[in-house]
Amino acid sequence: MDAHQPGRESLAGGRFRYGLAAWLLLATGGLAHLIYLINDCPLDLSGDEAHYWEWSRRLDLSYYSKGPLVAYIIAGSRVLLADWSQRLVGSEALAVRVPAILLSVGTGLGLYALGLATLRSPRLALAGVAITCTIPILAVGAVLMTIDAPLAFLYVWALVAVERGLRAGHTLPWVLAGLLVALGVLAKYTMLLIVPTVALVILVEADFRAVLRRPGPYLAGAIGLLGLVPIVLWNAKHDWVSFRHVAGQAGLAGRRSFDLSGPVSYLAGQAAVIGPIWLAGMLYAVVSLWRRPREPLERHSAGSVRLLCVAALVPWLGFLAFSPLTKIQPNWPAVALLPGTMLLALWLSRLWNRPDHRVRRAGRALAVAGSVAGLATVVAVHYSEFLMPVFAWLARNQPPWNLTPVAKFDPTARLRGWSQLGAAVGEILRGEQAAGRDPFIATDDYQSASEIAFYCPGQPTVYCFQAALGDRQSQYDIWPNPIRQPEGFLGRPCIYVGSLKPELTGQGGLPHAALRQIRLAATVEHRVGGHLVQVWPVYVCGEFAGLPAELTGRAGRF
């Protein structure tokens, strides 16, 4: 990591060698992930993946919580790969997840390009790409097809275009940046964080202010805002539900509270998904490099490093500011890791080349410890079944009413057993249909509904009562459903997966029973190494009588 000494490498000569090494590293990682998915992958689709797959079956301008890009990517992959996926793994899981692998490779190449452009060092650019392989959330994100996969790809390439526009002053990079931002907004609204990033770096770096006298940044902003057009058009027809949903997630709408422990939980979540060593290193690197962005003999400019610092700080500090108001999910500020890895690589390279041998030794120990700990975590997440004895030991003091104590410690528990549940629901559905009945399937959770729809043979339509039971809304509340359009469901049997709350059964003195003639048809248990990690009760209800007004009122507006 001694790239800041120009005698050690030629920029032109190193580009090919290190660029080829980066490409081979990313291609090898992508191939390893593909083999992992094909070779009896123990992890079913996550709830988000299954829900986005549901979106891909009903393409639209936008959706309840996000823009439409992820749905269109999955839909396109299904057209190309669904049959191949069915032959190899017996479901469309590969068709859903292959885009994540391809996007992760593209993100890695973009990260290499960003490092090369900002740090002017092929070696440091390669080091930054290598670090991503040891960050759990990025490694896992290379397998799971969520909105973060296209967001990361578009965000890093937008930063590459912005850097070029700031440095060269040409209009074309700004046009490209605007197009990437527009697409990124269709993936996740977090893409808009690039706007304050660019504004702040122009504010703090006098060398970049000349671009304000050119049309590039304004053109990029106008083009980027076009990504909001389909989202706004869709929301205008659906009571602005996406904007109200985002306001609720940010703690700006609904019941407000102020939790001083929020920032602590936020940092703990970041440490869990990044790794405590790498998180501490990145934060220290941002502070150190902001104060001293360039040292003698380094090729890069101070402005380029400050661009990386601002690009890392804006997501981290932005979500930190909201952490006392709402629970911040660990993946929300993930785009900060893209510039963060390059800053970490530069900071470590400085430590490695300090004259003081103690500093050099500390820097190398930090790099080795971060890499080893990160790789160990990545492997453990992919093969957590081997850690079940450890999880069982950690869960030894869980209360006896917790039926799945190890699930609290297994980070992959929520990705297990869904294919088993889908098969069980399918068998019950076939039995009901063979008896001449026409049941519909419902659950109390939108992710469970999506998982059952994906893994149940025939992939039937599944409905969700979650909003009527006082919980969050989802896309299921916008599509036709038994809550808002009960006419097509009244009198029909219902296969219900989840907890039968009194509101549905009329127990506890409630006057109305929405589900009648209830019997427990199955209890689906999924075990790993003999340890129970998932359990679902499946009921058959002889008649759906419609939800009472107090429950349909809970669902509120869209």
Side-chain angles (χ1 to χ4, degrees), residues 437-512:
R437 291 182 283 271
D438 179 27
F440 67 95
I441 305 170
T443 75
D444 60 355
D445 174 73
Y446 79 99
Q447 292 189 341
S448 298
S450 301
E451 298 276 15
I452 295 169
F454 183 86
Y455 284 107
C456 184
Q459 297 180 329
T461 300
V462 180
Y463 303 94
C464 179
F465 291 159
Q466 188 170 6
L469 296 174
D471 206 335
R472 60 157 287 172
Q473 293 181 323
S474 69
Q475 187 66 29
Y476 285 109
D477 296 293
I478 295 174
W479 290 328
N481 61 78
I483 302 175
R484 302 184 189 278
Q485 297 90 14
E487 298 81 13
F489 303 89
L490 292 175
R492 292 173 58 187
C494 174
I495 298 173
Y496 185 82
V497 181
S499 300
L500 276 177
K501 296 186 177 180
E503 296 95 322
L504 295 176
T505 62
Q507 296 175 348
L510 296 176
H512 180 82

Side-chain angles (χ1 to χ4, degrees), residues 162-505:
V162 164
E163 192 279 337
R164 178 66 176 172
L166 289 171
R167 185 164 45 86
H170 301 315
T171 301
L172 184 59
W174 289 108
V175 173
L176 179 59
L179 292 172
L180 292 167
V181 170
L183 285 173
V185 170
L186 295 175
K188 192 174 183 179
Y189 308 138
T190 307
M191 187 73 189
L192 292 173
L193 290 176
I194 201 169
V195 175
T197 295
V198 175
L200 283 173
V201 79
I202 291 175
L203 179 65
V204 300
E205 279 299 315
D207 292 345
F208 292 153
R209 291 175 198 157
V211 301
L212 295 175
R213 299 191 294 270
R214 303 187 182 102
Y218 310 104
L219 188 58
I223 295 172
L225 289 176
L226 292 177
L228 289 172
V229 171
I231 296 171
V232 170
L233 291 175
W234 184 88
N235 272 272
K237 295 181 178 180
H238 296 90
D239 201 18
W240 307 103
V241 63
S242 300
F243 299 100
R244 290 190 290 106
H245 170 73
V246 171
Q249 284 192 315
L252 300 177
R255 187 183 306 172
R256 298 185 186 182
S257 61
F258 192 83
D259 184 4
L260 292 176
S261 67
V264 176
S265 299
Y266 170 66
L267 292 174
Q270 292 302 290
V273 299
I274 300 171
I277 297 175
W278 281 154
L279 176 62
M282 285 186 193
L283 294 176
Y284 195 93
V286 170
V287 175
S288 175
L289 296 174
W290 182 267
R291 295 171 57 191
R292 197 170 62 229
R294 187 177 183 277
E295 290 189 341
L297 303 181
E298 289 181 341
R299 295 189 180 99
H300 60 259
S301 68
S304 294
V305 171
R306 288 222 167 98
L307 169 63
L308 295 177
C309 289
V310 172
L313 283 173
V314 165
W316 273 332
L317 294 181
F319 286 107
L320 178 63
F322 283 96
S323 62
L325 301 176
T326 187
K327 178 177 174 56
I328 303 297
Q329 298 300 326
N331 66 304
W332 288 0
V335 292
L337 297 178
L338 302 172
T341 55
M342 287 301 156
L343 294 170
L344 182 60
L346 175 59
W347 178 65
L348 287 174
S349 75
R350 289 183 178 181
L351 295 183
W352 278 38
N353 290 281
R354 285 286 183 263
D356 189 332
H357 72 278
R358 290 173 298 181
V359 176
R360 291 200 307 270
R361 196 159 52 228
R364 292 170 186 178
L366 179 65
V368 171
S371 300
V372 171
L375 284 173
T377 303
V378 170
V379 172
V381 170
H382 282 77
Y383 299 99
S384 66
E385 57 270 22
F386 295 109
L387 295 177
M388 277 298 158
V390 177
F391 299 148
W393 181 81
L394 293 172
R396 66 191 184 282
N397 294 323
Q398 289 293 297
W401 55 83
N402 184 353
L403 299 179
T404 58
V406 297
K408 180 179 180 180
F409 302 95
D410 180 5
T412 67
R414 290 289 296 168
L415 281 74
R416 296 182 182 274
W418 296 109
S419 55
Q420 182 181 344
L421 174 63
V425 172
E427 184 177 348
I428 295 170
L429 178 62
R430 285 193 302 270
E432 290 294 304
Q433 291 172 337
R437 291 182 283 271
D438 179 27
F440 67 95
I441 305 170
T443 75
D444 60 355
D445 174 73
Y446 79 99
Q447 292 189 341
S448 298
S450 301
E451 298 276 15
I452 295 169
F454 183 86
Y455 284 107
C456 184
Q459 297 180 329
T461 300
V462 180
Y463 303 94
C464 179
F465 291 159
Q466 188 170 6
L469 296 174
D471 206 335
R472 60 157 287 172
Q473 293 181 323
S474 69
Q475 187 66 29
Y476 285 109
D477 296 293
I478 295 174
W479 290 328
N481 61 78
I483 302 175
R484 302 184 189 278
Q485 297 90 14
E487 298 81 13
F489 303 89
L490 292 175
R492 292 173 58 187
C494 174
I495 298 173
Y496 185 82
V497 181
S499 300
L500 276 177
K501 296 186 177 180
E503 296 95 322
L504 295 176
T505 62

Side-chain angles (χ1 to χ4, degrees), residues 529-549:
H531 300 282
L532 188 65
V533 296
Q534 291 269 45
V535 58
W536 301 273
V538 184
Y539 301 92
V540 173
C541 309
E543 178 188 3
F544 176 67
L547 296 173

Side-chain angles (χ1 to χ4, degrees), residues 35-43 89:
I35 293 172
Y36 173 78
L37 294 178
I38 292 174
N39 188 25
D40 197 22
C41 176
L43 305 180
V89 299

